[in-house]
Amino acid sequence: MGMKPSPYATKIPYEEKDNKVVGGRPDPKNRSDAIDKVTGRARYAADYNLPGQLIGKVLRSPHAHAVIKSIDTSEAEKLPGVKAVVTRDDFPDMEVEHAASGELMVNFRDVTRNMMAREKALYDGHPVAAVAALSESIAKEAMKLIKVDYEVLPHVIDVRDAMKDDAPLLHEDLFTKGAGIEPDPSKKSNIATRMESKLGDIEEGFEQADFIVEHESNTKAAHQGYIEPQASVANFTEGGTIEVYTGTQGHHVFRAQIAKLLKMDISNIKVVPAELGGGFGGKNNVYLEPLAAQLSRKANRPVKMVMTRDEVFRATGPTSGTNCKVKMGCTRDGRITAAQAELNYQAGAFPGSSLPLASITVFTRYDLENVLVVGHDVVCNRPKVAAYRAPGAPMIAFAVETAIDDLARQCGMDPIDFRLRNAAKQGTQTHFGPPLGQIGYIETLEAAKASPHMKEPLGPNQGRGIASGFWFTIGNDTSATINITEDGTASLIFGTVDVTGGMRSAFAMIVAEELGIPFEKVRTQVGDTSALGFNFMTAGSRGTAAGSMAVVKATRDAIHRACEIAARKWEVETDQVVWENGHARPASANVGDFEPMSLAQLCREATWFGGTIAGHAEINVAMGGPGFGTHLVDVEVDRQTGLVKVLRYSIFQDAGKAVYPAFIEGQFQGGAVQGIGMALNEEYIYSDKGTLENPGFLDYRVPVASDVPMIDTHIVEVPNPDHPYGVRGIGEVPIIPPLAAISNAIYDAAGVRLLDHPMSPPKVLKALDEAAPAEAAE
Amino acid sequence: MQNLRYEAPETLADATALLSAEDGVARILAGGTDVIVQMHSDLIEPDLIVDVKNIPELTEIAKEGGAYRFGAAVSGKTLMLHEDFNKTWPGIMDGVQLLGSLQVRGRASVGGNLCNASPAADSVPPMIAAGAVASVIGPNGARDIPVEDIVTGPGRTCLEKGEIVVSFLLPERPPRSGDAYLRFTPRTEMDIAVVGAGVNLTLDGGGACTAARVALGAVAPTPLLVAEAADALIGTKVDDAAMEALAAAARAACNPIDDKRGTIEFRTKVAGVLARRAAAIALERAGAN
């Protein structure tokens, strides 16, 4: 995962203090991004236009699996108004080379094949050609004139089918790699990788168990559902440089990938990240950028490309559909003795699902002695999966947290007490690697138990469910620069793209706290790739957690510079000056009797005493500060239609220390709503031809506002010991519990156990009918 | 679509003449909430768009004697703001209020919802249950067509080239009448009916049902008028036995497909459930009149 801990990675110990700004609730209208978003001034990628730009469109495979025998673009090129056409022939082939792209790894051999099909089209929607023309309608006409000769092959969509011996094979060179495979397989397979991790002795664990529960769950692929479709404008100049305006969660990573795919020097490419209309992991990968750049190179004009919603669904990564098998045992008094799981995850057309991440989360909430986790990463004829908010975790939590619920019932224990009995805490050995540090899982369970929600009475056909989730916080390369302007206000440039909309304000609060100036005197902006050192993606819940480490370091660097100016003026040493309440002051009376100087005063003196006040940081932030959350949900089941209505929802999550509580609450709610949508209705539906049946928001049913109640949030604060403000990553945990929590609530309400996702009305009704045929016949 | 022509005639004669003369693909535009979406998603590539919103006959709501007539292009929102119409035909308004979102209803019309010819159109079953008749004009003159006869299949209507639905005439409402429409969708709004059921009934002074019409949506290639379901109510006091007979008749009338929106089994079962629930609401409304 590119996350091996470095001894040189930056940690700053937690500083317990009373903050003036951090942890407060600034007037929402002062949220740095808010006004521009509500007035329509915010510039998303599709809002950028360059003089003379062309419109680019992508021709996509209508087949799930086909050999591309030939592509004839000659007629399209002759159409008046068409300025360039690109196909596989316009891009260099790539060797196998892995790199981190957000939480998932990419292989450049596959990246180039995913952005533009080479030997085969591997899914409905796979790009086979792209056209740049004077207008969209000309580009569309041109696409009709491109002749692609396909040899259609048998396809495979479902992960279980893809694992079978006689399944159609996607790749001629794929042999299963990984743990426990001896000798090396001689037979080609769709199973790219087998993973295994264990702790203790699983057989012995099951022998100690009084109760054993086995669950097999199946989940469909779900899309991130960001409102803003992918869009890019690329301008390739005759001087050999490229400028790209795009929607991305990591412009530096995109820059490196474009350079690799087009065989260019990284320094010749500038990527400007636009305001982001949602990403959730789905904007960790290049799709249009290299195509727009290459079209621009061929046409000698800027090229703008904007996906339709149909293209977004068909060709940008959803999360993995999965098949999970879980077996857990416990003693009569509720101690888990053994926990076993098999995770079978769709990777889409190319290897590399969220399996490595998901397998870390399987049982990581519980203190267990005997664990066995086996996973398979499986290719099938679907778009290559992308990260989606805690990639892979909600699906395995669906199987595990429902099994926990059933074990608790068998023991006759309250499901929260059962979890408390087995809860992970500081020092708990994980099944995948290091023991856990200071964490707040138990605190979330205790907060749930004590909450008013638990005391709300339930009516007929209503039930209550609980589930918990764990996710880590990644660190990685992070850079920031702060410039103190001539009037003593601060301008922060940072490079962890603000995917949430709240990061700019959180950073402004931290800068204000550090400098001792009002929050309103700090302006924060995301810098393009030419403004800063490398920044890894905003992924793995690192945005605020890791980003703020660089912000703190850069601000302290500027403060040091400010103190230096005061020292020079007072003719003392810099270490004899301290920074307090927005002023440089003598460290003690012995230093001398100098009037403290404000930031504005120091700025006026800066030129004489050496130059502008600024600070910067280029650091690799240490990974750390994992997050835990517990959700409570009440549902009502309509026994005649199978409709499940969410009545009440509460979230209890450890945020470390909250910098900007309103923003954290919004993240909790947003994650839970996505989880609720996934639980109840969202699913990729394929025809028997392997084409996507619901590539739009009408039939890919994300919840609308009236589908969910106001979600109660409870921020639990157990500080991250390795962060100066105690921050933990918080963005991903909230999507993990809802699937399981809702299944548990349905069970509580109606006595049926749903393990087949989504828990949509037809499935719920069928389960109810099967459970009580006599009653259903009324 | 590079030569798309847009016309906005002000008379019915001009509109029918334009539509009759077009050799390519012509589409009538009222609110545009289907046509524009279909153009954007490349489902249709019209050569001619005839916008009918400037034709007075299509945008009026009026009473003829005791009966309502409203233009086919009247927006959902305009109907929603008409107090007396809402009081008279609450079941039709149940359907109208489910069209798209608030913003969509500002444009979408009942005429467009009908002529788009989706079996799942929400305003159509309650219009059929109400006994609405469409006034149609075309190159060969005017004709009246009951709403249940307009749609002949998914995306297909009985309208001939050049014909336009101008308005709908609703029957005069006897006392103790009530109508209601319910649909099933997994989401609360912004969704498309998996099943829809409209019920319209009239009671006598003793509470017996003297007249009823029942219509179903999304359970067959076209919206259905189900006479057997209505017969199950007529002559009864709409008691539990009548309700169960109604549900059984509704289920029996279903001829749905398995698709991404629902299974045959699910649609059939829920059609019975919704018919019952809609009848209960219609009954309550009739009793209140």
Side-chain angles (χ1 to χ4, degrees), chain A residues 353-407:
Chain A
S353 68
S354 52
L355 177 69
L357 307 166
S359 60
I360 287 175
T361 70
V362 181
F363 299 113
T364 310
R365 302 171 283 300
Y366 303 108
D367 187 0
L368 305 176
E369 284 175 14
N370 305 303
V371 178
L372 174 63
V373 173
V374 173
H376 297 109
D377 181 58
V378 184
V379 294
C380 45
N381 294 108
R382 296 166 170 269
K384 169 74 170 71
V385 303
Y388 178 20
R389 209 167 189 161
M395 300 83 107
I396 183 60
F398 183 36
V400 171
E401 290 290 307
T402 51
I404 295 272
D405 202 62
D406 286 355
L407 282 177

Side-chain angles (χ1 to χ4, degrees), chain B residues 160-230:
Chain B
E160 283 162 21
K161 187 177 161 83
E163 279 193 321
I164 301 172
V165 175
V166 178
S167 60
F168 300 103
L169 182 65
L170 292 160
E172 194 173 341
R173 212 76 175 110
R176 290 178 300 278
S177 296
D179 68 334
Y181 172 75
L182 288 174
R183 70 168 183 188
F184 184 85
T185 55
R187 277 193 293 222
T188 46
E189 55 186 324
M190 300 292 288
D191 213 332
I192 189 161
V194 179
V195 178
V199 176
N200 176 27
L201 52 80
T202 300
L203 306 175
D204 65 15
C209 177
T210 55
R213 284 169 69 90
V214 176
L216 297 175
V219 293
T222 65
L224 299 177
L225 174 64
V226 187
E228 298 77 8

